[in-house]
């Protein structure tokens, strides 16, 4: 914005105009008064001369003698040289004129305005151009009962004379003018400075520059108040704005780290904001790369959202106090599950939320699978038992030997069922109620020793031996029965699957501040690499057909893994290059 | 004036988004081509591909001019200059990525021994996936001012580098076995070139991420990773 004329200049110009007009008016008034004064003075002089002449005529009895020429002596006596003196009789006939010698040729003067006035009021005056001398004259006539005395003088009250006579007055006016000018110059300069400062100040505030540190040389007058108010308003606004910005940034930051994808769109479907997860999710779903959130409207999976939004663009939105319209559904795309939610706000802007629900969805599937697995695993021994018992019931004449065989078989299956139920309940306890296990310092060597003693018979059957290289001093923070289960299940796993003549080694190979690291390995046949990642899954069997015969429940390694995790340890498995399976796991120190 | 300046920056970012999307579309096309195991694009796709490349080049010039103009005309403040300069650097990289995508497609047409290509295409495909992912995340990181994405991209560059070196080893082994067969050798070299181009894409993605980092942190981390 260009300032055409500064405020100060305007004030100065206005002042000068006003003061000039004022001076002119004063001058004109003074001139007029002076004119009046002079006229009155002239009239007074002429009246005196008339009176004087009248007295002279009376005294000399000129009217009786008719010797008007003697008035010429009067003419030389009068102080004003070029005063014209005329005497008229009552009929208006000129009987004497100081300028004209031959009065007989002069016309009758009765019709002259000054004479007319004198006839009526006793005296009269008039300003005219004299025909004889071609000069402006002031005529004054006086009625003296039986004649008129008329005097005239050059009317000369013009401005030149006035200026000449009154130059002191003019100098005074001029001086006043200059003085006021200087005074004004200084006041307006001060005012102008204030205003310029105020302007700079306001400009800076407008450009969002920092104004709090600006020179605050404003005095304690109205301008100072204005400045303070501006600063206050500005400060208030700035605080409010800063707070809003911080809040917005916080919100933005929060949205960025959110695990959900979120995007807010304007009613025209333009992005207002979208976090990175949102973009990545729509990339995953569409299998196309983009960095624009608007891309969502071209993806077939999101057609529902588009229709939903369009529907509410035309329809009336529900009243404020009602719930906002929402759309929710799940998209499945290449083994991933996304939960999509769209909410339309009152101003018809809307947000789209996408969350990756693959994990919970998968877990749901896993649970279903597990339930059916458990059912299946329970059914197998149960139907065996049922089969054996049926045989015995339906064949009462069965030989004692055979009967005993069937009963033994049924008993074995019942044992298996018990094992299975025990394992399931143990596993569930570890998973769901891990807190119920009491943790304390446990000496590991006796535990392992007990396990080996327990399984000695079975180890001998397979001609396997077990080397335990764990020193007495090793004390771990754990639950004795869980630790027992860990080693029992590991050794049983080797008994069941490693094959005959295998040798088992259990040793501590490392320790640090917090953990002991153990190696458990056998010299058996190992497992194909493709199964390695899955052997900790429940009921996972490398060979479905054969392994159930060997007696495992399919839960052993699951129990091992979960129990070690509950001990805050870790477990991994690999095939040893020299053959056999190797587990590496850690248990926390006391 | 400051309103005009803001407008100019918003326009530049909008153009950047357009350019980035175009480049990503090109990369998608190449990625799909490699994943499909074919050596040439369908004709209609090829036509689109070449047209897009022209669009990218035009947009790059436009964007660079916009950036320079806005610096010259509107006296941006420090953070805005950072943003604009980063955008400028990113634009250059985006254009280069576009060129490289075209390069890859051209090189693939020249591979004559399909058998050799098939034996390595899984490897190449993985490399491409990672590079495209890096590109996408780095471009997004600038748009969304997301430092995590930028950091991820910069770290990932090492992996693509490693891919490229492994490739060289694999090729070297093969060449020893079939030293006589020129045809195969040429195919190998072409595939190697392809891999080099892909590696360059990852490199540019890292550049973009660095520029984007500079834009919001003001720290120049070029040539001093960690």
């Amino acid at each position: 914005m260009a300032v055409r004329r500064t405020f100060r200049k305007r004030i100065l110009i206005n002042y000068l105009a006003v003061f000039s007009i004022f001076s002119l008016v004063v001058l004109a008034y003074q001139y007029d008064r002076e004119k009046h004064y002079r006229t009155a003075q002239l009239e007074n002089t002429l009246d005196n001369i008339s009176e004087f002449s009248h007295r002279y005529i009376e005294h000399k009895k000129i009217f009786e003698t008719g010797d008007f020429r003697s008035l010429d002596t009067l003419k030389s006596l009068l102080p004003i040289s070029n005063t014209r003196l005329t005497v008229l009789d009552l009929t208006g006939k000129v009987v004497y004129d100081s300028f004209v010698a031959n009065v007989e040729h002069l016309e009758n003067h009765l019709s002259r305005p000054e004479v007319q006035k004198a006839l009526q009021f006793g005296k009269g005056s008039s300003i005219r151009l004299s025909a004889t001398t071609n000069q402006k004259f002031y005529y004054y006539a006086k009625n003296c009962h039986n004649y008129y005395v008329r005097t005239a003088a050059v009317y000369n009250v013009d401005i030149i004379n006035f200026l000449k006579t009154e130059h002191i007055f003019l100098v005074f006016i001029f001086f006043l003018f200059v003085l006021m000018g200087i005074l004004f110059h200084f006041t307006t300069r001060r005012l102008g400075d204030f205003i310029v400062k105020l302007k700079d100040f306001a400009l800076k505030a407008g450009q969002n520059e920092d104004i709090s540190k600006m020179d605050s040389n404003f005095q304690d007058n109205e301008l100072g108040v204005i400045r303070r108010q501006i600063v206050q308003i500005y400060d208030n606004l700035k605080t409010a704005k800063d707070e809003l910005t911080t809040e917005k940034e916080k919100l933005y930051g929060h949205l960025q780290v959110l695990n959900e994808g979120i995007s807010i769109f304007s009613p025209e479907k333009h992005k207002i904001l979208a976090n990175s997860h949102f973009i990545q999710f729509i990339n995953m779903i569409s299998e196309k790369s983009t960095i624009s959130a608007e891309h969502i409207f071209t993806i077939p999976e999101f057609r529902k959202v588009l229709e939903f939004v369009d529907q509410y663009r035309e329809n009336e939105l529900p009243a404020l106090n009602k719930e906002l319209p929402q759309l929710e559904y799940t998209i499945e795309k290449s083994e991933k599950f996304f939960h999509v939610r769209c909410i339309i706000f009152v101003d018809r802007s809307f947000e789209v939320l996408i969350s990756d629900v693959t994990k919970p969805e998968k877990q749901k599937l896993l649970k279903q699978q597990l339930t059916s697995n458990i059912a299946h695993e329970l059914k197998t021994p149960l139907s065996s038992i049922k089969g054996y018992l049926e045989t015995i019931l339906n064949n009462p004449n069965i030989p004692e030997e055979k009967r005993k065989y069937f009963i033994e078989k049924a008993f074995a299956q019942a044992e298996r069922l018990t094992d299975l139920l025990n394992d399931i309940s143990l596993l569930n306890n570890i998973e769901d109620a891990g807190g119920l296990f009491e943790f304390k310092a446990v000496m590991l060597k006796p535990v392992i020793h007990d396990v080996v003693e327990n399984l000695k018979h079975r180890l001998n059957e397979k001609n396997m031996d077990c080397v335990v290289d764990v020193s007495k001093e090793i004390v771990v923070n754990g639950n004795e029965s869980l630790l027992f289960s860990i080693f029992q299940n590991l050794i049983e796993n080797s008994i069941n699957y490693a094959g005959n003549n295998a040798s088992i080694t259990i040793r501590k190979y490392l320790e640090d501040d917090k953990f002991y690291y153990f190696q458990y390995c056998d010299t058996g046949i190992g497992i194909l690499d493709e199964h390695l990642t899955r052997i900790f899954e429940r009921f996972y069997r490398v060979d479905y057909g054969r392994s159930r015969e060997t007696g495992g429940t399919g839960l052993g390694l699951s129990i091992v893994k979960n129990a070690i995790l509950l001990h805050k340890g870790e477990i991994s498995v690999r095939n040893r290059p020299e053959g056999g399976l190797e587990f590496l796991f850690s248990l926390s120190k006391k | 004036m400051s309103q005009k300046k803001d407008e100019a920056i918003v326009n530049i970012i909008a153009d950047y988004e357009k350019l980035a999307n175009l480049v990503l579309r090109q990369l998608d096309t190449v990625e799909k081509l490699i994943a499909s195991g074919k050596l040439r694009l369908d004709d209609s796709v090829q036509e689109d591909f070449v047209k897009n490349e022209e669009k990218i080049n035009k947009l790059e010039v436009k964007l660079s001019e916009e950036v320079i103009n806005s610096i010259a005309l509107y006296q941006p403040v420090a953070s805005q200059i950072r943003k604009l300069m980063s955008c400028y650097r990113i634009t250059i990289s985006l254009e280069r990525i576009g060129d490289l995508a075209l390069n890859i497609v051209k090189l693939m047409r020249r591979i004559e021994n399909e058998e050799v290509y098939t034996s390595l295409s899984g490897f190449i495909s993985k490399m491409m996936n990672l590079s495209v992912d890096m590109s996408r995340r780095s471009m997004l990181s600038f748009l969304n001012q997301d430092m995590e994405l930028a950091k991820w991209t910069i770290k990932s560059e090492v992996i693509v580098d490693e891919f490229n070196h492994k490739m060289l080893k694999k090729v070297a082994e093969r060449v020893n076995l079939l030293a006589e067969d020129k045809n195969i050798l040429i195919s190998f070299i072409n595939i190697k070139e392809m891999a080099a181009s892909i590696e360059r894409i990852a490199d540019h993605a890292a550049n973009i991420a660095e520029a984007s980092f500079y834009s919001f942190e003001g720290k120049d981390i070029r040539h001093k990773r960690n």
Side-chain angles (χ1 to χ4, degrees):
Chain A
M1 191 180 65
V3 181
R4 274 206 312 278
R5 208 171 278 163
T6 64
F7 189 72
R8 188 188 156 212
K9 273 186 189 159
R10 276 199 223 181
I11 289 185
L12 213 60
I13 287 167
N14 282 348
Y15 152 70
L16 284 177
V18 168
F19 196 74
S20 306
I21 290 167
F22 174 72
S23 303
L24 283 177
V25 168
V26 166
L27 223 55
Y29 175 71
Q30 201 63 29
Y31 176 74
D32 197 50
R33 262 183 57 125
E34 191 69 27
K35 211 164 126 182
H36 270 101
Y37 170 72
R38 294 212 157 210
T39 313
Q41 209 183 28
L42 197 62
E43 195 179 297
N44 195 31
T45 314
L46 291 178
D47 187 54
N48 280 342
I49 294 171
S50 298
E51 189 61 33
F52 187 70
S53 306
H54 169 60
R55 294 261 174 92
Y56 187 76
I57 292 169
E58 290 281 288
H59 180 71
K60 293 270 182 178
K61 296 189 180 14
I62 289 174
F63 225 77
E64 281 92 44
T65 60
D67 180 20
F68 287 106
R69 296 281 11 127
S70 62
L71 280 169
D72 280 345
T73 46
L74 196 66
K75 192 175 134 191
S76 55
L77 289 174
L78 284 174
I80 306 165
S81 56
N82 55 353
T83 306
R84 182 178 172 187
L85 178 70
T86 316
V87 181
L88 312 169
D89 64 11
L90 284 174
T91 58
K93 191 174 158 251
V94 178
V95 287
Y96 171 78
D97 193 300
S98 62
F99 277 27
V100 183
N102 210 349
V103 292
E104 279 80 29
H105 297 296
L106 287 171
E107 53 185 309
N108 194 303
H109 274 38
L110 196 68
S111 59
R112 301 285 154 93
E114 69 275 8
V115 180
Q116 282 294 319
K117 279 179 199 163
L119 185 68
Q120 282 176 31
F121 309 111
K123 53 185 176 182
S125 62
S126 164
I127 300 163
R128 285 201 308 281
L129 206 66
S130 159
T132 34
T133 54
N134 212 10
Q135 268 185 307
K136 234 181 179 183
F137 273 86
Y138 189 88
Y139 293 96
Y140 180 80
K142 195 176 162 84
N143 193 343
C144 305
H145 303 299
N146 40 7
Y147 59 92
Y148 299 104
V149 176
R150 194 189 70 168
T151 46
V154 177
Y155 184 66
N156 197 13
V157 282
D158 56 22
I159 191 83
I160 304 156
N161 281 337
F162 171 72
L163 282 177
K164 265 184 202 158
T165 49
E166 297 291 339
H167 71 275
I168 293 172
F169 175 71
L170 282 175
V171 166
F172 172 71
I173 290 275
F174 180 73
F175 176 71
L176 207 66
F177 192 85
V178 170
L179 190 74
M180 289 292 275
I182 291 169
L183 215 68
F184 247 75
H185 171 75
F186 282 111
T187 30
T188 51
R189 196 169 70 175
R190 268 169 74 89
L191 199 69
D193 280 354
F194 280 137
I195 287 172
V196 166
K197 265 192 212 168
L198 207 60
K199 186 192 80 182
D200 288 348
F201 179 75
L203 273 179
K204 278 208 170 173
Q207 282 166 354
N208 281 334
E209 283 171 43
D210 189 19
I211 57 167
S212 50
K213 285 184 194 71
M214 260 186 80
D215 124 75
S216 53
N217 194 13
F218 283 101
Q219 285 180 354
D220 213 8
N221 52 20
E222 290 93 325
L223 290 167
V225 174
I226 291 175
R227 181 199 174 265
R228 274 198 298 277
Q229 284 302 319
I230 291 182
V231 170
Q232 202 175 355
I233 293 169
Y234 176 86
D235 279 349
N236 287 348
L237 276 175
K238 198 168 181 295
T239 324
K241 197 182 150 195
D242 285 352
E243 271 173 17
L244 267 179
T245 315
T246 336
E247 286 299 312
K248 195 181 146 192
E249 257 158 32
K250 262 200 258 174
L251 192 67
Y252 243 80
H254 177 70
L255 289 179
Q256 287 293 2
V257 297
L258 212 59
N259 273 327
E260 280 192 330
I262 181 167
S263 179
I264 300 174
F265 294 92
S266 72
E268 293 80 33
K269 300 196 190 101
H270 290 310
K271 178 194 85 177
I272 295 171
L273 78 92
N275 68 0
S276 306
H277 272 99
F278 183 84
I279 308 279
Q280 283 180 316
F281 283 152
I282 63 171
N283 279 328
M284 268 187 231
I285 293 169
S286 69
E287 291 177 332
K288 275 183 191 142
S289 303
T290 181
I291 57 165
S292 300
E294 285 91 346
H295 182 66
I296 186 176
F297 301 115
T298 61
I299 306 172
E301 278 85 353
F302 288 102
R303 190 167 295 143
K304 268 190 191 172
V305 171
L306 196 63
E307 283 166 6
F308 181 67
V309 170
D310 283 340
Q311 175 197 334
Y312 276 96
R313 234 153 93 98
E314 283 140 31
N315 291 3
E316 272 300 300
L317 280 172
L320 268 176
N321 50 359
K322 282 195 186 155
E323 254 185 45
L324 293 166
Q326 278 201 27
L327 172 78
E328 280 183 68
Y329 64 101
T330 306
I331 292 174
E332 191 194 342
K333 188 85 185 190
S334 44
E335 292 191 8
K336 284 199 160 243
F337 295 87
F338 298 96
H339 185 249
V340 179
R341 198 161 58 157
C342 174
I343 303 169
I344 299 180
F345 299 115
V346 182
D347 63 350
R348 280 159 209 262
S349 62
F350 56 98
E351 70 169 27
V352 180
L353 285 147
I354 306 175
S355 41
D356 185 351
V357 289
T358 311
K359 221 175 170 187
E361 283 287 323
K362 281 230 164 118
Q363 231 155 31
K364 213 166 85 187
L365 281 178
L366 208 69
K367 270 246 148 81
Q368 280 170 4
Q369 222 176 352
L370 197 67
T371 318
S372 69
N373 267 341
I374 290 173
H376 176 74
E377 293 290 332
L378 290 177
K379 235 190 299 182
T380 324
L382 208 58
S383 56
S384 304
I385 294 169
K386 215 174 127 191
Y388 293 130
L389 293 178
E390 254 173 19
T391 319
I392 296 166
L393 279 176
N394 293 345
N395 304 297
N397 301 326
I398 196 165
E400 189 61 24
E401 235 175 82
K402 272 235 161 125
R403 182 193 303 263
K404 197 181 171 216
Y405 172 76
F406 283 133
I407 292 173
E408 271 172 2
K409 278 278 183 189
F411 181 74
Q413 287 298 330
E415 282 276 293
R416 205 177 117 71
L417 204 57
T418 317
D419 284 350
L420 200 60
L421 286 173
N422 281 341
D423 279 357
I424 290 172
S425 98
L426 179 62
L427 205 50
N428 273 347
N429 280 344
I430 295 171
E431 257 195 2
D432 300 336
L436 295 179
F437 289 97
E438 193 194 342
F439 274 64
K440 58 178 187 186
V442 178
M443 306 240 296
L444 207 55
K445 176 136 187 164
V447 176
I448 300 173
H449 184 75
D450 283 355
V451 175
V452 176
E453 278 303 307
N454 255 359
L455 295 170
K456 190 128 211 154
H457 178 65
R458 287 178 66 192
L459 284 167
N460 287 340
E461 264 177 20
K462 293 236 171 175
N463 196 21
M464 290 168 78
D465 68 333
C466 184
V467 182
V468 180
D469 180 15
V470 175
S471 65
K472 267 191 216 164
E473 295 85 48
I474 291 178
V475 176
V476 298
N477 179 34
N479 177 282
E480 201 166 337
S481 72
L482 279 182
L483 289 169
F484 192 89
S485 294
I486 290 169
F487 289 101
Q488 168 150 348
N489 280 302
L490 282 173
I491 295 172
E492 275 185 338
N493 185 60
S494 293
I495 294 171
N496 289 336
Y497 306 110
N500 292 342
N501 307 322
S503 160
I504 295 169
T505 312
I506 303 172
R507 68 185 187 95
K508 184 207 83 176
Y509 69 98
L510 200 70
E511 70 171 285
D512 61 20
D513 294 348
K514 288 179 180 166
F515 292 100
Y516 290 112
Y517 296 87
F518 298 95
Q519 179 199 36
Y520 173 96
C521 61
D522 61 37
T523 54
I525 54 170
I527 296 180
L528 286 177
D529 279 349
E530 61 199 78
H531 300 296
L532 272 181
T533 52
R534 299 193 62 189
I535 60 166
F536 292 115
E537 284 176 23
R538 292 162 198 212
F539 300 116
Y540 186 80
R541 290 169 196 277
V542 173
D543 182 347
Y544 265 90
R546 275 186 47 208
S547 52
R548 205 169 284 121
E549 289 170 23
T550 52
T553 60
L555 290 172
L557 291 179
S558 261
I559 292 171
V560 170
K561 181 170 188 181
N562 281 299
I564 284 175
L565 289 182
L566 193 65
H567 282 80
K568 298 189 178 65
E570 279 171 4
I571 183 164
S572 61
V573 63
R574 65 174 184 134
N575 279 314
R576 290 202 303 170
E578 58 267 37
L581 203 59
E582 178 185 60
F583 292 95
L584 298 173
F585 59 93
S586 54
L587 290 170
S588 63
K589 284 184 169 178
K590 191 194 148 193
Chain B
M1 180 162 106
S2 92
Q3 202 186 344
K4 266 192 188 169
K5 181 167 69 175
D6 291 347
E7 226 168 76
I9 292 176
V10 168
N11 281 341
I12 287 171
I13 298 298
D15 272 343
Y16 160 76
E17 201 175 320
K18 250 190 247 167
L19 178 62
N21 280 334
L22 268 177
V23 173
L24 283 176
R25 212 203 291 169
Q26 300 290 83
L27 290 179
D28 270 357
T29 311
V30 179
E31 192 182 1
K32 272 191 194 136
L33 175 67
I34 294 176
S36 72
K38 282 190 250 169
L39 281 176
R40 38 181 72 225
L41 289 167
D42 295 337
D43 286 347
S44 64
V45 180
Q46 170 81 23
E47 209 176 292
D48 262 4
F49 192 78
V50 174
K51 266 189 201 158
N52 271 348
E53 172 60 23
E54 280 165 20
K55 272 192 217 163
I56 289 172
N57 290 344
K58 276 182 195 156
L59 204 52
E60 188 237 338
V61 175
K62 186 183 166 214
L63 202 49
S64 312
E65 268 171 18
E66 278 177 340
V67 169
I68 292 164
N69 281 349
S70 63
I71 291 178
L73 291 176
Y74 303 123
Q75 287 115 43
V77 297
S79 69
Q80 288 166 330
I81 289 189
R82 280 212 303 272
K83 191 167 205 159
L84 289 170
M85 288 319 294
S86 304
C87 189
Y88 190 78
R89 277 161 60 184
I90 291 172
T91 308
I92 294 167
S93 288
L94 286 177
E95 194 270 338
R96 286 293 298 146
I97 292 181
D99 282 353
L100 291 169
L102 189 65
N103 256 3
I104 295 170
V105 172
K106 279 184 187 161
L107 285 166
M108 282 173 82
R109 285 165 166 262
R110 279 186 235 144
I111 295 173
E112 281 169 25
N113 190 323
E114 243 182 87
E115 201 187 312
V116 175
Y117 175 68
T118 318
S119 72
L120 290 168
S121 73
F123 188 79
I124 291 256
S125 185
K126 263 187 210 156
M127 200 168 156
M128 187 69 191
N129 285 346
L130 184 58
S131 296
V132 173
D133 204 13
M134 281 172 70
S135 308
R136 192 171 46 225
R137 291 198 198 200
S138 60
M139 293 175 201
L140 186 57
S141 82
F142 179 66
L143 187 72
N144 264 4
Q145 315 207 333
D146 192 329
M147 298 248 285
E148 294 308 311
L149 290 182
K151 282 184 199 157
W152 183 89
T153 309
I154 293 167
K155 278 184 192 154
S156 301
E157 198 201 346
V158 187
I159 303 171
V160 183
D161 256 353
E162 211 169 285
F163 263 111
N164 198 12
H165 292 311
K166 267 190 197 163
M167 176 90 172
L168 195 66
K169 268 187 200 162
K170 260 193 169 180
V171 172
E173 281 167 22
R174 295 277 179 128
V175 169
N176 274 340
L177 284 172
L178 304 159
E180 315 288 316
D181 203 330
K182 252 193 172 180
N183 208 357
I184 291 176
L185 194 63
I186 289 163
S187 299
F188 267 124
I189 291 168
N190 280 335
I191 296 168
K192 173 70 184 95
E193 287 275 294
M194 254 177 83
S197 291
I198 295 171
E199 199 265 331
R200 289 295 298 153
I201 290 179
D203 214 11
H204 281 298
N207 285 349
I208 295 172
E210 282 165 0
S212 134
F213 202 92
Y214 172 74
S215 153
F216 37 75
E217 281 287 275
K219 249 189 282 174
D220 197 337
I221 48 169
R222 271 184 290 182
H223 314 300
K224 43 186 171 196
R225 305 272 158 73
N226 286 322

